[in-house]
Amino acid sequence: FLGIVFNWGIIICSVEFFGKITLEFFIFYLACVFWTIGYDTIYAFQDLKDDIKSKIIPKANAKGRSPLDVSSAIVVVITLVT
């Protein structure tokens, strides 16, 4: 939900300037959502050791994924969207 909420202003700007959600703004919005997911995931991997010490199950590594796999997948999605 972080990516959706943080980038909501793009949708608001599109409606304010054009009276509708244009395709260009929607594509930009999707790219920004995935960008936010990407940096939030990288941040989550940086806190992984502390989360494990605190007995918190981190979403970043809930299924044993490596940081490189997750980051690479997000970059591919951003590239495909834009």
Side-chain angles (χ1 to χ4, degrees):
F1 295 111
L2 180 69
I4 294 169
V5 173
F6 270 24
N7 300 297
W8 188 249
I10 296 169
I11 299 296
I12 293 172
C13 285
S14 178
V15 173
E16 182 67 28
F17 288 114
F18 302 106
K20 62 180 182 177
I21 300 171
T22 64
L23 180 61
E24 293 84 5
F25 272 80
F26 184 71
I27 291 171
F28 182 48
Y29 173 73
L30 285 179
C32 289
V33 166
F34 283 105
W35 180 266
T36 304
I37 292 169
Y39 76 71
D40 189 50
T41 302
I42 292 168
Y43 181 75
F45 274 112
Q46 291 174 343
D47 286 343
L48 194 59
K49 290 180 185 176
D50 294 329
D51 288 347
I52 292 171
K53 282 182 187 177
S54 301
K55 298 181 182 177
I56 298 171
I57 300 172
K59 286 189 174 187
N61 200 27
K63 296 182 180 176
R65 293 173 269 179
S66 74
L68 185 59
D69 292 343
V70 174
S71 301
S72 297
I74 291 170
V75 168
V76 167
V77 171
I78 292 171
T79 304
L80 291 175
V81 169
T82 57

